Structure formats: C-alpha cells, structure tokens
Amino acid sequence: MRHHVKMVLVALVVLLLVSACAAPPPPQAGAPASGEEQSAATTEGPQPGGTLIIGKSTEAVGLDPHLVTARSSFEVIAQVYNQLVDLDEDYLPIPELAESWENPDDLTFIFHLRPDVKFHNGRTLVAEDVKFSFERIQDPAVASPWSSQLELIERIETPDERTVIFHLSQPFGAFLSTIASTWAAIVPPEEVEANGDLQRVMVGTGPFMLEEYVEETRTVLRANPDYFEGAPLLDGITYLIIPDEAARLAALRTGEIHMSALSNAASAGLAARSEGVSVASQQTTDYYLLGLNTQRAPFDDVRVRQALSLAIDRQAIVDSVFFGEGLVTGPIVPTLGKWSVPPEELPFYQPDVEQAKALLAEAGYPDGFETTITASPRFPEFTSIALVIQNQLKQIGVTATLDQVEWGTFIQKWRDRDFDTFVSYNGSGNDPDRALYPMLHTGGSVNAFQFSDPEIDRMLEEARTTVDQEERIRLYHELAQAIARQAPLIFLNTRTEYVALRDNVRDFHLSPVDTYRSLKQVWLAP
C-alpha cells in the first residue's frame, strides 16, 4: 500500500514538472561542468576582458549585508564586500581583510589588517571601519537578523589604524567561522550615514563595484582595478532578472546569458544536452524544510509536531521532487560532515503513520485538523514539496491547503510570522552554531518559528561557548537528538545546486556554502 502511495505521488510531481518527462539524467552532484573539463584540457591560459552575464531567477531582497538573509542578495553582495577572514575548502579560517590574528586566551582575538585595502569610494580601510561594522550589526536599533550571532562580543578596541581587538564575554568556539560569513562584511560608516542603510547602494572592498542597480531588471558590477588581491579578469558582471526558468534556459542556448542557477534536476538534465552548455552541480549546506508556527495551535503542541515528523516520508520527497538528488537531513546537514547525526539515528524520523495517528489522538486531534502550507511559485520546488507533503498528511487525517503567494508576499509573511506552515530552504552556513542558534534560540534573530524551549536554549548556549572541538561535536550530536524530539520545524533534505554554463566560462567552481565567491577568478574564453 505504501509503495502504491509513493508511486501516485511520484506521478503527481512528475506531471507538475512537465519538462522532466523528456529530460536526460541530471549531472551527479559534485561533478564539474564540462567547461571546467575543457579548461583543464586546453593549453590557453586565463585571459582578461569581457562581461559575465548571469540570468537570475529572483531579485535581491536588499543589498545591505547586515540586514538581509536571502541567498538572492548574498550572490551579489559576495562580489562586492569582504570579511576579516574567509574559510578554505576544509572550513578552516584563512586571511582576508585581516592578514593575521592572535588568540592569546579564550576571550580575546587580535586582528592585524592588511595595509593595502581601499573601499570603492577611494578611502583606505582602517580599524574603526571594522569596529563600526560589528557594532552596527549588534545595535538593536538596526534590527539586524544576524545580531544574535554576535551576542558574545563584549567590546571592540582599535588601539591603532590596523589593529582590532575583540573581547568576548564567554568563550565562543565558532567565533572565526561566524565572522567569516558574508553577512559579517566590513562597510564604510560614511556611506551608511549618507544613505541611511545600504539596501540600494554597495560600497565595499571587494573585486567588483556596483555600477547600476535597476530593481527587478538588472544589476551591473564592474571590476575593481584596486582590489587588494589584484583586479579580476572579468571587466564586469551583469545580472539579468529572468524569473521563468524556461526563458533562462533559452537565453543560455542562444548565448544571451553565460550562466544561470537551475531549480531542479529536470532543468539541469535539459540544459546538459544543449549544445555549448554544461552543468556544474554540488550538494550544499542548504536544506529544505517545512516551517511550523509553534505559537499557533495545533503546532504549539509537541505531540502534533512529532506526528507530522513521523507522517512525512523525507526520502519520498527526495525521490519524487528531486529525482533522488539530495540527502535526507536532520537538524545538522550531512554536508557539514562530522557535526551531523545520521537521520536513521534520530527520533521521530522513520515514517510511521500509526504512531503519528496515536500522537494526534493523544493531543486531542483523533480526526486530524485543517491547516495551510504557504509556498511561493517563484521556487517551483517549494510547490512540488508542498504537494507531496499535502498528500502524505492525508494519511493521518490532516487536510493541508496550499497557500501560493508571490515572493514578496512570502517574505512579508515570514517576517510577520503570519503562517501555519511554510515550505522554504535555509542555509546552514559553515558551522552548526550558525545553523541552529539564531534559528532556534528563544528570541533568536531568525527564529521565524517562534520556538522557545529552556533546555534547547541551555544546550545551544553550552555548545556555543565550548572551545574544545571534540566536545563541541559531542554537544551538537546531543542537540540534534533533542531538536528532533521537539520538531520545531521539519528538516527535509539537502539542496543540490545546479549551475548551467556556456562553454566559454572558465574556472567557475561551486562550494557547499556557495555564495559564488569564485567569480573573481572566472574568465571568458574567446
């Protein structure tokens, strides 16, 4: 019977993804684009010049790195700004604006800035810019969604123009990973003062500078000739907003654009068989989720949340919506490696309809209940996931109505916490503290679920303030178990990134954290 239900769901989603019917198999996650293979095979070296044109499905929600959370914003922001430190492929900190640092004790970090960094307005970066940027994120009046990530910074000193000293109130095991995030960009105070915020202007220190921003149409960046690591090879980057995926694929085939992210394996398969187009793919640290409003009945009852976790077959979603591309995930994604707990070891993760019904009855809902699932068609996979979940919940008597809204409305509902449930995806970043603390701590700056549990708070705080790496891993494994029992949201599966490229795009690489930082190395073959 269960197999039959799965097959019905598969058919339903395949019908929704019409283009998938004739699509060849998608590229395997982690596979390089054929353009990269060509790059390795060719004898020509990197060449300067040309403008990379990117087809983008969604406009940036804003351009201020301290105020936004959307990936569509960080794709652009990452080209314009820098942080004090960056992370290498093994998530280890490496210099960026800081050329070196010291950590004399668990509560002190001393950074020494590079001497050759200039903002795009021509002014040299100084230590006061770093102090201003972090204090701006911490300022309650600014209402940065990232403020809770910096709660342990007690004060910042700038003894001279090139030295910044962070004093922490408690040890912070993820401090360097945290300040390596794109949202921790260093901005010039005078531009904030002149503009109020940086939502429509960008003045950073990065390899590209903002030349033009026409909302919902295009964003034009040009190369920064004074970039401290040397000017990029490209003359510039132009982002064109093309919401329709079929239109972006057509533009790729004709050469109107050079690259574009694709939403699913079906589109990736279609792109991969187009002449002159290849597809790069990568499992990311992003994950899809069913968000629950834990302050609204019936989701304020943990038994209801546990019942939903048992009723949802996550692997069926991976198979039917993503054609098997993606990994079922718990609270910490498997792409973060040793931090993750295998889903089969988590409570309420193995589908069990009868146990789910029993929990609903115990909670006072023996006949189920009615609810809504909010999703935006801007991301077609959100709707597909919602439809599969809608069908799976019928098995336990829950009638879920799909509430499809435009992307701007979806964002506003998320901000207002005006939903029963919603389908979206989150980024885990580079550390479990980044993934969990702001999302699940009471009053956390991106706690859209309004979840609050004293024991989870205590565990999050203990893990955050532990420095020993092995002990941190043990604590986060315990946290994953506790979060799975509370089920404040339903973690579903990891997101596979697909990027289609014209075959003259060279040296483009994806990373699991993926903010397209490699664009500063990209070049266009003649």
Side-chain angles (χ1 to χ4, degrees):
M1 179 64 184
R2 187 174 152 194
H3 178 70
H4 173 71
V5 172
K6 279 187 178 181
M7 292 305 294
V8 170
L9 295 176
V10 169
L12 172 64
V13 176
V14 169
L15 283 173
L16 287 168
L17 299 170
V18 175
S19 61
C21 296
Q28 294 297 307
S34 61
E36 294 179 57
E37 294 165 349
Q38 290 168 8
S39 178
T42 186
T43 56
E44 64 190 9
Q47 298 182 33
T51 297
L52 181 72
I53 303 175
I54 300 176
K56 202 162 175 279
S57 66
T58 307
E59 179 59 284
V61 177
L63 300 176
D64 193 324
H66 300 165
L67 298 181
V68 300
T69 60
R71 175 178 176 271
S72 59
S73 295
F74 286 123
E75 286 178 14
V76 181
I77 288 169
Q79 315 309 323
V80 176
Y81 291 97
N82 295 104
Q83 302 82 240
L84 278 180
V85 299
D86 198 359
L87 298 178
D88 67 12
E89 293 180 354
D90 297 319
Y91 303 114
L92 297 174
I94 55 176
E96 192 157 271
L97 294 179
E99 61 183 1
S100 64
W101 58 88
E102 304 154 46
N103 183 199
D105 57 63
D106 287 346
L107 300 179
T108 309
F109 285 84
I110 304 171
F111 294 91
H112 304 283
L113 302 183
R114 297 177 60 119
D116 53 350
V117 179
K118 289 187 175 181
F119 285 108
H120 299 160
N121 62 12
R123 183 173 65 74
T124 299
L125 172 85
V126 295
E128 279 296 324
D129 299 314
V130 177
K131 177 179 167 70
F132 169 83
S133 296
F134 282 94
E135 290 182 345
R136 181 177 184 244
I137 298 170
Q138 290 180 301
D139 185 352
V142 174
S144 169
W146 304 106
S147 60
S148 60
Q149 288 293 86
L150 304 182
E151 285 175 349
L152 299 184
I153 298 177
E154 188 173 67
R155 59 191 168 87
I156 302 171
E157 290 182 308
T158 54
D160 60 57
E161 289 195 343
R162 290 184 50 206
T163 304
V164 186
I165 305 175
F166 287 78
H167 296 278
L168 308 182
S169 59
Q170 298 179 67
F172 187 4
F175 179 67
L176 289 174
S177 296
T178 297
I179 66 170
S181 302
T182 308
W183 56 262
I186 307 306
V187 304
E190 65 272 23
E191 299 295 338
V192 176
E193 185 177 346
N195 295 283
D197 61 39
L198 302 174
Q199 290 287 49
R200 297 184 61 82
V201 299
M202 291 195 290
V203 182
T205 54
F208 294 94
M209 307 185 290
L210 179 64
E211 182 169 283
E212 183 182 30
Y213 177 51
V214 183
E215 195 166 358
E216 296 295 343
T217 303
R218 65 182 176 276
T219 300
V220 180
L221 308 181
R222 60 184 168 85
N224 174 10
D226 299 321
Y227 185 51
F228 58 85
E229 290 184 341
L233 291 165
L234 293 169
D235 290 336
I237 303 171
T238 296
Y239 298 90
L240 300 178
I241 304 302
I242 309 174
D244 182 68
E245 188 141 294
R248 294 200 308 280
L249 281 171
L252 272 167
R253 294 189 185 104
T254 61
E256 181 185 347
I257 62 175
H258 292 106
M259 62 182 283
S260 178
L262 302 174
S263 65
N264 59 58
S267 294
L270 287 170
R273 70 178 184 182
S274 302
E275 185 177 357
V277 177
S278 58
V279 177
S281 62
Q282 173 75 54
Q283 285 293 332
T284 72
T285 59
D286 301 342
Y287 60 90
Y288 293 98
L289 63 109
L290 178 70
L292 308 176
N293 190 336
T294 66
Q295 293 298 307
R296 184 180 291 185
F299 306 109
D300 55 349
D301 190 319
V302 67
R303 294 166 296 186
V304 172
R305 303 196 300 265
Q306 291 168 345
L308 263 59
S309 185
L310 288 166
I312 291 174
D313 186 337
R314 296 163 174 83
Q315 187 60 49
I317 293 173
V318 173
D319 293 340
S320 57
V321 177
F322 300 101
F323 300 88
E325 289 289 321
L327 303 169
V328 171
T329 184
I332 301 173
V333 292
T335 30
L336 279 179
K338 59 192 177 186
W339 302 101
S340 178
V341 176
E344 59 271 20
E345 297 178 13
L346 295 170
F348 305 103
Y349 258 67
Q350 301 308 307
D352 189 331
V353 170
E354 295 309 314
Q355 188 183 355
K357 287 180 177 177
L359 282 167
L360 282 188
E362 188 181 324
Y365 300 96
D367 301 319
F369 56 85
E370 294 184 358
T371 189
T372 59
I373 304 175
T374 301
S376 173
R378 176 63 64 91
F379 295 89
E381 72 270 32
F382 292 180
T383 302
S384 299
I385 292 170
L387 287 169
V388 175
I389 290 176
Q390 183 184 54
N391 275 278
Q392 292 180 344
L393 295 184
K394 286 179 182 175
Q395 300 174 90
I396 59 171
V398 174
T399 301
T401 301
L402 182 60
D403 175 29
Q404 290 205 76
V405 296
E406 291 302 316
W407 183 236
T409 303
F410 182 94
I411 294 292
Q412 196 57 51
K413 280 176 168 278
W414 183 90
R415 286 174 174 159
D416 295 341
R417 300 357 181 183
D418 180 21
F419 56 84
D420 286 347
T421 74
F422 67 90
V423 172
S424 183
Y425 73 75
N426 271 352
S428 293
N430 48 44
D431 188 278
D433 180 79
R434 152 70 179 83
L436 299 177
Y437 191 96
M439 182 177 70
L440 294 177
H441 193 274
T442 300
S445 48
V446 290
N447 186 348
F449 323 104
Q450 302 181 81
F451 176 69
S452 179
D453 180 82
E455 179 60 11
I456 296 291
D457 285 353
R458 184 196 66 75
M459 297 176 78
L460 285 166
E461 290 162 8
E462 183 181 9
R464 163 174 275 197
T465 55
T466 297
V467 175
D468 181 82
Q469 194 78 339
E470 292 305 314
E471 180 63 5
R472 288 191 74 215
I473 291 171
R474 185 187 69 77
L475 292 172
Y476 279 110
H477 285 185
E478 291 180 359
L479 251 173
Q481 298 279 343
I483 293 168
R485 279 191 292 275
Q486 285 290 326
L489 65 152
I490 309 298
F491 297 87
L492 298 173
N493 59 280
T494 57
R495 186 180 69 85
T496 305
E497 176 80 9
Y498 301 102
V499 178
L501 307 151
R502 292 294 306 178
D503 56 11
N504 63 332
V505 178
R506 305 295 165 84
D507 288 343
F508 173 77
H509 304 282
L510 286 168
S511 79
V513 180
D514 189 38
T515 44
Y516 290 35
R517 296 291 295 274
S518 71
L519 292 187
K520 62 186 177 186
Q521 289 124 24
V522 164
W523 55 285
L524 297 174

